[in-house]
Coordinates of all heavy atoms in Angstrom, one line a residue:
G1 N 106.2 87.1 114.2 CA 107.3 87.6 114.9 C 108.0 88.8 114.2 O 109.1 89.2 114.6
M2 N 107.3 89.4 113.3 CA 107.9 90.6 112.6 C 108.1 91.8 113.5 O 109.1 92.5 113.4 CB 107.0 91.0 111.4 CG 107.6 92.1 110.6 SD 106.6 92.5 109.1 CE 106.9 91.0 108.1
Y3 N 107.2 91.9 114.4 CA 107.3 93.1 115.4 C 107.3 92.5 116.8 O 106.3 92.0 117.3 CB 106.1 94.0 115.2 CG 106.0 94.5 113.8 CD1 104.9 94.1 113.0 CD2 106.9 95.4 113.2 CE1 104.8 94.5 111.7 CE2 106.7 95.8 111.9 CZ 105.7 95.4 111.2 OH 105.5 95.8 109.9
R4 N 108.4 92.7 117.5 CA 108.5 92.2 118.9 C 107.5 93.0 119.8 O 107.4 94.2 119.6 CB 109.9 92.3 119.4 CG 110.9 91.3 118.8 CD 112.2 91.3 119.5 NE 113.0 92.5 119.3 CZ 114.0 92.9 120.0 NH1 114.5 92.2 121.0 NH2 114.7 94.0 119.7
P5 N 106.9 92.3 120.7 CA 105.9 93.0 121.5 C 106.5 93.9 122.5 O 107.5 93.7 123.1 CB 105.2 91.8 122.3 CG 106.1 90.7 122.2 CD 106.9 90.8 120.9
V6 N 105.9 95.1 122.6 CA 106.3 96.2 123.5 C 105.1 96.5 124.3 O 104.0 96.8 123.7 CB 106.9 97.4 122.8 CG1 107.1 98.5 123.9 CG2 108.2 97.1 122.1
F7 N 105.1 96.4 125.6 CA 103.9 96.6 126.4 C 103.8 98.0 126.9 O 104.1 98.3 128.1 CB 104.0 95.5 127.6 CG 104.0 94.1 127.1 CD1 105.2 93.4 126.9 CD2 102.8 93.5 126.8 CE1 105.2 92.1 126.5 CE2 102.8 92.2 126.3 CZ 104.0 91.5 126.1
E8 N 103.4 98.9 126.0 CA 103.2 100.3 126.3 C 101.7 100.5 126.2 O 101.0 99.8 125.5 CB 104.0 101.2 125.4 CG 105.5 101.1 125.5 CD 105.9 101.9 126.7 OE1 105.1 102.7 127.3 OE2 107.1 101.8 127.1
E9 N 101.2 101.6 126.8 CA 99.8 102.0 126.8 C 99.4 102.3 125.3 O 100.2 102.9 124.6 CB 99.6 103.2 127.6 CG 98.1 103.6 127.7 CD 97.8 104.8 128.6 OE1 98.8 105.2 129.3 OE2 96.7 105.3 128.6
L10 N 98.3 101.8 124.9 CA 97.8 101.9 123.5 C 96.4 102.6 123.6 O 95.5 102.1 124.4 CB 97.7 100.5 122.9 CG 97.6 100.5 121.4 CD1 98.8 101.0 120.7 CD2 97.3 99.0 120.9
D11 N 96.2 103.7 122.9 CA 95.0 104.4 122.8 C 94.1 103.8 121.8 O 94.1 104.1 120.6 CB 95.2 105.9 122.6 CG 94.0 106.7 122.6 OD1 92.9 106.2 123.0 OD2 94.0 107.9 122.3
I12 N 93.2 102.9 122.2 CA 92.3 102.2 121.2 C 91.0 102.9 121.1 O 90.3 103.2 122.1 CB 92.1 100.7 121.7 CG1 93.4 99.9 121.8 CG2 91.0 100.0 120.8 CD1 93.3 98.6 122.4
V13 N 90.6 103.3 119.9 CA 89.3 104.0 119.7 C 88.3 103.1 119.1 O 87.1 103.5 119.1 CB 89.6 105.3 118.9 CG1 90.4 106.3 119.6 CG2 90.2 104.9 117.5
Y14 N 88.6 102.0 118.5 CA 87.6 101.0 118.0 C 88.3 99.7 117.9 O 89.5 99.6 117.5 CB 87.1 101.5 116.6 CG 86.1 100.5 116.0 CD1 84.8 100.6 116.4 CD2 86.5 99.4 115.2 CE1 83.8 99.7 115.9 CE2 85.6 98.5 114.8 CZ 84.3 98.6 115.1 OH 83.3 97.7 114.6
E15 N 87.5 98.6 118.2 CA 88.0 97.3 118.1 C 86.9 96.3 118.0 O 85.9 96.4 118.6 CB 88.9 96.9 119.3 CG 89.5 95.5 119.1 CD 90.4 95.1 120.3 OE1 90.4 95.7 121.3 OE2 91.2 94.1 120.1
D16 N 87.1 95.3 117.0 CA 86.2 94.2 117.0 C 87.1 93.0 116.5 O 88.3 93.1 116.5 CB 85.0 94.4 116.1 CG 85.3 94.7 114.6 OD1 86.4 94.3 114.1 OD2 84.5 95.4 114.0
D17 N 86.5 91.9 116.1 CA 87.3 90.7 115.7 C 87.9 90.8 114.3 O 88.6 89.9 113.9 CB 86.4 89.5 115.8 CG 86.2 89.0 117.2 OD1 87.0 89.3 118.1 OD2 85.1 88.4 117.5
L18 N 87.7 91.9 113.6 CA 88.3 92.2 112.3 C 89.3 93.4 112.4 O 90.4 93.3 111.8 CB 87.2 92.4 111.3 CG 87.8 92.6 109.8 CD1 88.4 91.4 109.3 CD2 86.7 93.1 108.9
L19 N 88.8 94.5 113.0 CA 89.5 95.7 112.9 C 90.0 96.2 114.3 O 89.4 95.9 115.3 CB 88.6 96.8 112.4 CG 88.0 96.6 111.0 CD1 87.0 97.8 110.7 CD2 89.0 96.5 109.9
L20 N 91.2 96.9 114.3 CA 91.7 97.6 115.4 C 92.1 99.0 115.0 O 92.9 99.1 114.0 CB 92.9 96.8 116.0 CG 93.6 97.5 117.2 CD1 92.7 97.5 118.5 CD2 94.9 96.9 117.5
I21 N 91.5 100.0 115.5 CA 91.9 101.4 115.2 C 92.4 102.1 116.4 O 91.8 102.1 117.4 CB 90.6 102.1 114.6 CG1 90.0 101.4 113.4 CG2 91.1 103.5 114.2 CD1 88.8 102.0 112.8
V22 N 93.6 102.5 116.3 CA 94.3 103.1 117.4 C 94.7 104.6 117.1 O 94.9 104.9 115.9 CB 95.5 102.3 117.8 CG1 95.1 100.9 118.2 CG2 96.6 102.3 116.7
N23 N 94.9 105.3 118.2 CA 95.3 106.7 118.1 C 96.8 106.8 118.3 O 97.3 106.6 119.4 CB 94.5 107.5 119.1 CG 94.7 109.0 118.9 OD1 95.0 109.5 117.8 ND2 94.6 109.8 120.0
K24 N 97.6 107.1 117.2 CA 99.0 107.1 117.3 C 99.5 108.5 117.9 O 99.1 109.5 117.4 CB 99.7 106.9 115.9 CG 101.2 106.9 116.0 CD 101.8 106.7 114.6 CE 101.9 108.1 113.9 NZ 103.0 108.9 114.6
P25 N 100.3 108.4 118.9 CA 100.9 109.7 119.4 C 101.9 110.2 118.5 O 102.5 109.5 117.6 CB 101.5 109.3 120.8 CG 101.9 107.9 120.6 CD 100.8 107.3 119.7
P26 N 102.3 111.5 118.5 CA 103.3 112.1 117.7 C 104.7 111.5 118.1 O 104.8 110.9 119.2 CB 103.3 113.6 118.0 CG 102.7 113.7 119.3 CD 101.7 112.6 119.4
F27 N 105.6 111.6 117.2 CA 107.0 111.1 117.4 C 107.1 109.6 117.5 O 108.1 109.1 118.1 CB 107.6 111.8 118.6 CG 107.4 113.3 118.7 CD1 106.6 113.8 119.7 CD2 108.0 114.1 117.7 CE1 106.4 115.2 119.7 CE2 107.8 115.5 117.8 CZ 107.0 116.0 118.8
L28 N 106.1 108.9 117.0 CA 106.2 107.4 117.0 C 106.0 106.9 115.6 O 104.9 107.1 115.0 CB 105.1 106.9 118.0 CG 105.1 105.3 118.2 CD1 106.3 104.9 118.9 CD2 103.8 104.9 118.9
P29 N 106.9 106.2 115.1 CA 106.7 105.6 113.7 C 105.6 104.5 113.7 O 105.4 103.9 114.8 CB 108.1 104.9 113.4 CG 109.0 105.5 114.4 CD 108.3 105.8 115.6
V30 N 104.9 104.3 112.6 CA 104.0 103.3 112.5 C 104.7 101.9 112.6 O 104.2 101.0 113.2 CB 103.1 103.4 111.2 CG1 102.2 102.2 111.0 CG2 102.2 104.6 111.3
Y31 N 105.8 101.8 111.9 CA 106.6 100.6 112.0 C 108.1 100.9 112.2 O 108.5 102.0 111.8 CB 106.4 99.8 110.7 CG 106.8 100.5 109.4 CD1 108.1 100.3 108.9 CD2 106.0 101.4 108.7 CE1 108.5 101.0 107.7 CE2 106.4 102.0 107.6 CZ 107.6 101.8 107.1 OH 108.0 102.5 106.0
P32 N 108.9 100.0 112.7 CA 110.3 100.3 113.0 C 111.1 100.4 111.8 O 110.8 99.8 110.7 CB 110.7 99.2 113.9 CG 109.8 98.0 113.5 CD 108.5 98.6 113.1
A33 N 112.3 101.0 111.9 CA 113.2 101.1 110.8 C 113.9 99.8 110.5 O 114.2 99.5 109.3 CB 114.3 102.2 111.1
H34 N 114.1 99.0 111.5 CA 114.6 97.6 111.3 C 114.1 96.7 112.4 O 113.5 97.2 113.4 CB 116.2 97.7 111.3 CG 116.7 98.4 112.5 ND1 116.9 97.9 113.8 CD2 117.2 99.7 112.6 CE1 117.4 98.8 114.6 NE2 117.6 99.9 113.9

């Protein structure tokens, strides 16, 4: 529950059962300030 789900489009470039690699757009933090 650390990060509440937000249902926005996600640019996924690789995924398997261990890793998820996504393409972050500009002006978006990796994690929230609070």
Side-chain angles (χ1 to χ4, degrees):
M2 183 174 293
Y3 305 108
R4 286 193 290 168
V6 173
F7 299 94
E8 293 284 349
E9 184 177 352
L10 197 63
D11 184 6
I12 298 170
V13 294
Y14 179 86
E15 183 178 15
D16 60 28
D17 286 331
L18 181 68
L19 303 175
L20 177 71
I21 305 179
V22 301
N23 189 28
K24 184 183 84 68
F27 313 113
L28 182 69
V30 170
Y31 61 94
H34 50 81

